[in-house]
Amino acid sequence: MSELTVAAGLARGLMDLAVSKGADEAELARRSAIDPAALHDQDNRVPFAKYVALMRAGKELCNDPALALHYGETSDMSQISVVGLLGLASETMAEAFQQLNRYGRLVIEFDGGPDRFRIARERGGVWIVDNRENANDFPELTESTFARMICGPRQFGVAQVAKAVHVTHPAPAYRDEYARIYRAPVSFDSDWNAMQIDETAMFHRIAAQPRYVFGILSEHADALLQELESSKTTRGRVESLLMPVLHKGDVGMEAIADKLALSRQTLFRKLKAEGTTFEKVLDELRHKLALHYLSGRKVSVNETAYLVGFSDPAAFSRAFKRWTGTSPRAMRNAAGLGGSR
């Protein structure tokens, strides 16, 4: 299974909260192995294991065992991820929940099926059920998730979403904080992680952003989701390793296989199973990036050749004509600029 990740915005918010409670940022970074500079772009990805380490370090360094609950209580999802912005642009709470389920992996990837949550009409009510497997390995995620889902709607005038909360982990020493934040009865050591909801709250109107914003944000979220999913394929992983070294020109399959901790033959088989080859991935990546650089109107043809790994501009021109049927100079001129071959 590919390594699970979380949005950099989620990690940034947690780090900021821990620092505000007295934790030292440098020590948080050291213990979690997270470079704070990597968190400036909220759409960057951070390994899930590092996020777990950050949470555990934060709880200890700011002496707050209920840090996860407090993070869910106080964090603004719109500052963490485009998913939060989509929630603000949703018409109703029900639509916001749909977007959370659709794009939730952009915030945090999880083990289990395609949907993090499901609606269950049973046990005398309507429940939002967390489908995450092995939830007790990191109960802090259960704590923060339910806290955010309960406290977030309060900003829209929904006094209380939850009627009851069930969690599969044992009751912690700070169980009183559950009662204060959730404002609902909590059952520990349950057979599921689920929140019984007041169904009428789902029809509460949000629409905090103009409706056209919803479409723009959806397009951005779709692109991010596609990028995330492609990074889980062997092809996507190869492309991510090729990108920073492409300009060196000598990008062999052996070197990339080593970085993936695979044999050359295993990498060959994995790419073949995805219907491609290393040479094809490399060629198509060069094609895509060449189009990007030339249409961006920021670099010359010679510079583009170098950036995509051609030491000989003439060889680049031949490859470009094979890709597009035209020369790179013609492409650049068509974009309204002159330039050298």
Side-chain angles (χ1 to χ4, degrees):
M1 182 176 179
S2 299
E3 183 179 48
L4 300 178
T5 61
V6 308
L10 188 71
R12 176 77 263 172
L14 177 58
M15 185 175 285
D16 287 345
L17 177 63
V19 169
S20 75
K21 286 177 168 286
D24 179 71
E25 182 177 87
E27 183 62 13
L28 285 170
R30 187 188 70 79
R31 293 196 187 187
S32 64
I34 295 175
D35 179 1
L39 305 181
H40 293 324
D41 181 349
Q42 66 180 26
D43 293 330
N44 282 343
R45 307 301 300 181
V46 173
F48 180 82
K50 291 187 177 183
Y51 180 72
V52 173
L54 176 63
M55 178 67 77
R56 302 277 165 81
K59 291 169 67 173
E60 180 181 342
L61 292 174
C62 61
N63 194 29
D64 181 6
L67 182 65
L69 281 174
H70 297 148
Y71 186 34
E73 177 189 22
T74 60
S75 59
D76 181 352
M77 181 60 76
S78 66
Q79 299 297 315
I80 292 173
S81 167
V82 66
V83 180
L85 293 171
L86 273 167
L88 294 179
S90 297
E91 289 286 342
T92 64
M93 290 287 298
E95 186 178 52
F97 173 74
Q98 290 172 353
Q99 303 315 308
L100 173 63
N101 227 16
R102 181 179 180 183
Y103 297 113
R105 291 181 185 272
L106 293 180
V107 182
I108 187 163
E109 292 185 283
F110 55 91
D111 48 8
D115 292 332
R116 169 81 183 273
F117 304 100
R118 63 182 174 88
I119 299 293
R121 294 181 179 273
E122 55 184 280
R123 307 190 190 190
V126 179
W127 298 79
I128 294 178
V129 184
D130 189 341
N131 293 323
R132 187 165 58 103
E133 298 176 356
N134 305 312
N136 285 8
D137 291 347
F138 186 43
E140 292 93 336
L141 182 56
T142 305
E143 293 178 332
S144 61
T145 297
F146 283 158
R148 191 173 289 114
M149 293 175 75
I150 291 170
C151 297
R154 291 171 186 165
Q155 66 180 299
F156 306 118
V158 181
Q160 184 61 13
V161 170
K163 291 184 174 182
V165 177
H166 283 225
V167 294
T168 55
H169 56 268
Y174 51 87
R175 63 183 301 164
D176 288 348
E177 279 298 90
Y178 278 80
R180 182 186 69 80
I181 293 169
Y182 290 173
R183 301 180 192 172
V186 180
S187 297
F188 296 94
D189 291 308
S190 178
D191 61 339
W192 64 351
N193 289 298
M195 181 175 75
Q196 185 182 6
I197 61 171
D198 178 356
E199 194 170 7
T200 62
M202 293 293 99
F203 299 100
H204 187 85
R205 182 174 171 79
I206 301 177
Q209 297 287 343
R211 189 59 182 175
Y212 80 90
V213 172
F214 184 88
I216 296 172
L217 294 172
S218 294
E219 289 183 4
H220 180 58
D222 283 333
L224 289 174
L225 193 60
Q226 182 178 4
E227 181 180 334
L228 178 61
E229 290 173 348
S230 69
S231 72
K232 303 302 176 182
T233 65
T234 302
R235 178 186 184 124
R237 295 169 68 197
V238 168
E239 286 184 340
S240 68
L241 290 172
L242 284 172
M243 288 277 283
V245 298
L246 199 60
H247 67 281
K248 295 181 180 180
D250 183 18
V251 282
M253 185 175 180
E254 193 77 40
I256 298 300
D258 285 345
K259 289 184 178 181
L260 290 170
L262 300 173
S263 69
R264 189 179 189 280
Q265 191 59 31
T266 299
L267 177 56
F268 173 83
R269 287 197 303 267
K270 285 179 174 290
L271 288 172
K272 184 179 180 181
E274 294 179 6
T276 191
T277 65
F278 179 81
E279 291 73 19
K280 186 175 181 182
V281 172
L282 176 59
D283 190 62
E284 291 179 353
L285 181 62
R286 283 172 164 163
H287 177 194
K288 179 174 67 175
L289 290 177
L291 291 175
H292 170 74
Y293 290 135
L294 291 173
S295 62
R297 304 182 179 186
K298 292 182 178 179
V299 294
S300 70
V301 171
N302 282 348
E303 289 169 332
T304 299
Y306 166 76
L307 289 171
V308 299
F310 286 85
S311 57
D312 179 8
F316 170 64
S317 293
R318 289 193 297 272
F320 195 87
K321 191 164 186 178
R322 171 171 56 83
W323 294 328
T324 66
T326 188
S327 70
R329 169 181 266 180
M331 170 70 73
R332 198 165 187 269
N333 287 341
L337 295 174
S340 63
R341 287 175 65 112

